[in-house]
Amino acid sequence: MSQQNPIFIPGPTNIPDRLRRAMNVPSQDHRAPDFSDTFLPVLSGVKKVIGTQDGEVLLFTSSGTGGWEAAISNTLSPGDKVLIARYGMFSHRWIDMCQRHGLDVQVVECPWGTGAPADQFEAILSADTEHEIKAVMVTHNETATGVMSDISAVRKAMDSATHPALLFVDGVSSIASVPFEMDAWGVDVAVAGSQKGFMLATGMAVLGVSQKALSHMDEAKLPRTYFDFRDMLRANSNGGFPYTPPLNLIYGLRESLEMLSEEGLENVYARHYRLAEGVRQAVSAWGFKLCAQSPDLYSNTVSAIFVPEGFNSNELTDHAFNKYGISFGIGLGEMNGKAFRIGHLGSLTEVMVLAGLATIEMAMVDLDYPIKLGQGVAAAQEYYRNN
Ligand code: PLP
């Protein structure tokens, strides 16, 4: 049953039939002269989505996490100092990866439900007069808490401190769903994955890399082989890949870019806002709280929702899956048991969101939550009717 229902986790997202068909390709010779005709326009298409003209787009066969590893290992050396704030599971994982790579991580601890602390970054960077901090790393959309951080504010903080550190941004659950302005925000490495906003199967990390980040490639001493930007760039400049490319995902990405362009990126972003706002109206009608602490932090791709005191959110998500065949996101890290998540990104319509809200309401009423059937759905319906 669950096979036929949409999923409401914040990635992997629902794959539209059109993209499933596009990924269904026979094997082809990736060294044939015509491979570049397919491949190179895909790289340019991604540039538009991430907002770069000056940077390069690199695709690696990997999930998003491998994209982070590529970003770190191509630009930094063991012992380099980096600055990261921890405000959720994914910013935490980035800290963990940097520590395991032997980097000296300065961690700013923030309450989960808040976002990147631009003011604190500015103070720390201003005090770093020797410019020991080599990179600032920010999770744009913290998928664990449903918090979207303001990357332009982080860039402003770095500029105010006149600090030359690189700016790395995890856009895994934001890129292709909400505006992302790599050049305008001065992002040096942006990381995305195929399975979220691009609506594809998992397996391709999508990176945007600035010329400034590329200028660190030769001096960076962290070991890398498979993820070496230099091999990838050399092969790309000849229209190819340094090893066997994930052909099905490249064809899928070509079609995904076409779909995003047909809808228009502005409309894609507006749709994500509308879908998210309907969910937020439902949450408010239930009398529940979002993990995101204030409206300026609300994510348009995922909402993390606290369940009332005395209820366990894992029982709710398990029940929704077992009885109704629908997956919602569980609470991650310190949110586990306390919050569930509704992913509202990728290939999704208002009608699908209403079905998800109706299902979670049934599950909640089954488990004696203090809500009535239709309470949140009606609020979302009202919002969708009028907007
Ligand atoms: N960063 C964020 C913000 C994410 O949401 C995720 C996955 O959900 C990741 C990184 C890790 O990406 P992947 O699971 O594709 O390795």
Side-chain angles (χ1 to χ4, degrees):
M1 182 167 74
S2 58
Q3 295 290 325
Q4 285 149 31
N5 286 325
I7 47 175
F8 293 94
I9 60 172
T13 59
N14 300 296
I15 305 178
D17 282 348
R18 180 171 163 186
L19 294 188
R20 279 209 288 233
R21 283 196 298 274
M23 286 188 281
N24 185 2
V25 289
S27 286
Q28 289 173 26
D29 177 9
H30 57 281
R31 301 193 202 285
D34 65 351
F35 176 69
S36 59
D37 298 343
T38 308
F39 176 52
L40 294 180
V42 169
L43 299 182
S44 335
V46 172
K47 283 188 177 186
K48 287 195 196 110
V49 176
I50 62 175
T52 188
Q53 291 192 334
D54 306 335
E56 298 291 341
V57 166
L58 304 181
L59 305 177
F60 287 97
T61 316
S62 147
S63 74
T65 306
W68 288 3
E69 189 150 338
I72 292 167
S73 60
N74 280 283
T75 53
L76 298 169
S77 300
D80 275 356
K81 193 163 183 177
V82 298
L83 176 63
I84 315 182
R86 176 167 25 223
Y87 42 81
M89 199 62 195
F90 293 98
S91 39
H92 164 75
R93 287 199 189 156
W94 209 341
I95 291 166
D96 176 54
M97 180 184 279
C98 287
Q99 287 170 337
R100 291 205 236 169
H101 275 74
L103 299 173
D104 173 9
V105 188
Q106 179 164 356
V107 180
V108 181
E109 297 290 352
C110 302
W112 288 33
T114 63
D119 292 351
Q120 271 171 281
F121 282 167
E122 184 174 339
I124 292 166
L125 293 168
S126 299
D128 179 33
T129 50
E130 300 297 316
H131 296 164
E132 284 177 359
I133 296 171
K134 300 299 177 205
V136 178
M137 301 177 181
V138 183
T139 299
H140 184 202
N141 187 71
E142 180 44 87
T143 320
T145 57
V147 164
M148 180 80 60
S149 285
D150 182 351
I151 304 301
S152 65
V154 174
R155 165 47 61 201
K156 225 177 266 163
M158 294 174 73
D159 289 349
S160 301
T162 52
H163 201 291
L166 296 169
L167 174 58
F168 289 10
V169 178
D170 175 342
V172 172
S173 62
S174 59
I175 285 173
S177 302
V178 300
F180 195 94
E181 296 293 340
M182 178 168 161
D183 287 352
W185 297 340
V187 174
D188 292 298
V189 186
V191 180
S194 48
Q195 79 277 22
K196 305 220 183 207
F198 290 113
M199 307 169 282
L200 297 168
T202 312
M204 194 160 58
V206 177
L207 276 78
V209 187
S210 73
Q211 297 302 328
K212 181 176 165 190
L214 292 176
S215 74
H216 288 261
M217 248 174 354
D218 288 326
E219 75 205 33
K221 296 209 169 37
L222 280 175
R224 73 276 193 189
T225 306
Y226 185 79
F227 287 126
D228 201 317
F229 284 176
R230 291 167 297 191
D231 295 335
M232 186 56 80
L233 287 166
R234 204 174 302 121
N236 287 178
S237 69
N238 294 320
F241 231 67
Y243 27 71
T244 316
L247 202 68
N248 54 340
L249 286 169
I250 289 172
Y251 273 89
L253 186 54
R254 182 172 76 169
E255 197 67 15
S256 162
L257 292 165
E258 187 58 36
M259 281 180 73
L260 292 169
S261 149
E262 280 170 18
E263 185 176 353
L265 283 176
E266 291 310 317
N267 297 326
V268 171
Y269 305 150
R271 174 168 58 80
H272 279 81
Y273 174 81
R274 221 170 40 247
L275 296 177
E277 194 51 35
V279 171
R280 292 191 281 260
Q281 295 291 328
V283 172
S284 155
W286 294 327
F288 295 175
K289 275 200 159 41
L290 291 165
C291 299
Q293 289 187 0
S294 54
D296 55 311
L297 298 170
Y298 289 168
S299 161
N300 288 336
T301 61
V302 54
S303 295
I305 302 155
F306 284 116
V307 295
E309 203 72 32
F311 290 86
N312 182 328
S313 60
N314 292 333
E315 284 171 16
L316 179 65
T317 48
D318 283 354
H319 182 74
F321 182 80
N322 291 331
K323 184 154 181 199
Y324 301 110
I326 296 270
S327 284
F328 294 91
I330 62 165
L332 297 179
E334 59 182 66
M335 300 294 165
N336 192 252
K338 296 184 194 155
F340 68 99
R341 293 172 302 146
I342 300 182
H344 32 76
L345 75 162
S347 176
L348 217 57
T349 63
E350 290 154 358
V351 169
M352 290 160 88
V353 169
L354 289 171
L357 293 171
T359 307
I360 200 74
E361 284 193 345
M362 291 193 287
M364 289 197 282
V365 169
D366 291 344
L367 298 178
D368 296 327
Y369 276 59
I371 65 137
K372 288 200 169 53
L373 286 180
Q375 200 173 329
V377 171
Q381 285 171 318
E382 273 309 322
Y383 177 77
Y384 291 146
R385 280 182 60 231
N386 295 310
N387 291 278

